[in-house]
Amino acid sequence: MTREQADGSGRLRVVVADDQAAVREPLAAVLALAEDIDVVAAAAHGGEVLAAVDAGPVDVVLMDLRMPVMDGIETTRRLAEEHPEVAVVVLTTFADDASILGALGAGARGYLTKNAGRQDITRAIRAAAAGQSVLDREVQDRLLATVRTQARQPEQEVPDALPDDLTPREREVLALIGRGLPNRGIAESLFISEATVKTHINNLFAKAAIRDRADAVRRAIAAGLA
């Protein structure tokens, strides 16, 4: 079921999460000016995010990473497990490798730094709601730099080469993971069920010794698939 079918309005229901009220409140006010966005809640930490989503419905969470009680990465992981229909777009001042890979590995569909303008943020929210991924240019550059650095390490430490026994479908799935699509987005792109996507991912991870989704993104980029 699409979002438009679910509520009939075509408007995106967004939760803004940031521990600083001086950031959270103006951001919520600015987003509310968009004609297709309703800010349904503002949260100071991950616990409040989960409560807002439980009370729902919610389409997208705009997520800060460094928050008390429950940080953005753990909150994103919980949402991916408990509410996979809710998209997460990270908006943070941090663009280090651990933050980027941690957030993407937890299931975030977008990652922006707080240098992003309103148009960039609203574009990322709309893309995430449509099952697409938007990464800040700085974030893309960091990911590519990480891949290049790791690719220069001994092969036994970073096995970037994909095994020959991957099926064409498994390569397609890896490419879509590399583009940031969640399982639902992959299923829609390939016209298969989410259960079939999960089977392909399990087989892919086992064959290629991929640790997690963040590692899959790195491997897809290293293999030139994303």
Side-chain angles (χ1 to χ4, degrees):
M1 179 180 291
T2 66
R3 174 178 49 81
E4 288 81 3
Q5 291 171 325
D7 67 7
S9 72
R11 296 176 64 83
L12 291 168
R13 297 154 300 201
V14 176
V15 172
V16 175
D18 195 295
D19 65 323
Q20 298 182 36
V23 174
R24 182 176 68 247
E25 294 173 2
L27 181 58
V30 167
L31 290 177
L33 296 175
E35 62 182 12
D36 60 341
I37 291 177
D38 287 328
V39 177
V40 297
H45 55 74
E48 292 184 354
V49 171
L50 294 179
V53 172
D54 285 340
V58 172
D59 297 301
V60 180
V61 176
L62 190 62
M63 185 84 73
D64 188 22
L65 289 185
R66 307 294 170 89
M67 298 184 292
V69 183
M70 184 184 299
D71 67 22
I73 291 177
E74 177 59 25
T75 307
T76 299
R77 184 176 296 111
R78 288 278 301 275
L79 288 173
E81 293 172 354
E82 300 170 14
H83 296 278
E85 75 283 0
V86 177
V88 172
V89 175
V90 170
L91 180 64
T92 180
T93 57
F94 302 96
D96 58 282
D97 292 350
S99 296
I100 295 168
L101 293 177
L104 295 179
R109 292 188 198 169
Y111 196 111
L112 304 176
T113 65
K114 288 184 177 176
N115 292 326
R118 190 188 81 172
Q119 289 186 343
D120 296 323
I121 297 171
T122 54
R123 186 182 304 117
I125 288 172
R126 292 171 186 136
Q132 302 168 2
S133 177
V134 174
L135 302 178
D136 188 283
R137 171 60 63 181
E138 181 180 356
V139 172
Q140 293 182 27
D141 291 344
R142 291 284 304 191
L143 281 174
L144 289 172
T146 298
V147 168
R148 294 189 185 106
T149 298
Q150 293 180 335
R152 290 194 292 268
Q153 296 177 5
E155 187 174 346
Q156 64 270 23
E157 294 182 16
V158 184
D160 283 324
L162 297 174
D164 294 334
D165 61 344
L166 287 187
T167 66
R169 180 64 89 191
E170 288 164 354
R171 287 179 177 271
E172 286 180 315
V173 169
L174 180 58
L176 293 173
I177 292 174
R179 286 171 47 196
L181 268 66
N183 288 0
R184 181 176 63 178
I186 295 171
E188 292 172 351
S189 296
L190 299 179
F191 301 101
I192 57 179
S193 69
E194 286 191 59
T196 301
V197 170
K198 290 178 182 178
T199 298
H200 286 312
I201 289 175
N202 289 338
N203 293 338
L204 164 66
F205 280 29
K207 288 180 181 180
I210 294 174
R211 296 185 300 274
D212 52 32
R213 214 168 181 96
D215 189 36
V217 171
R218 182 187 66 77
R219 296 284 293 280
I221 293 174
L225 298 177

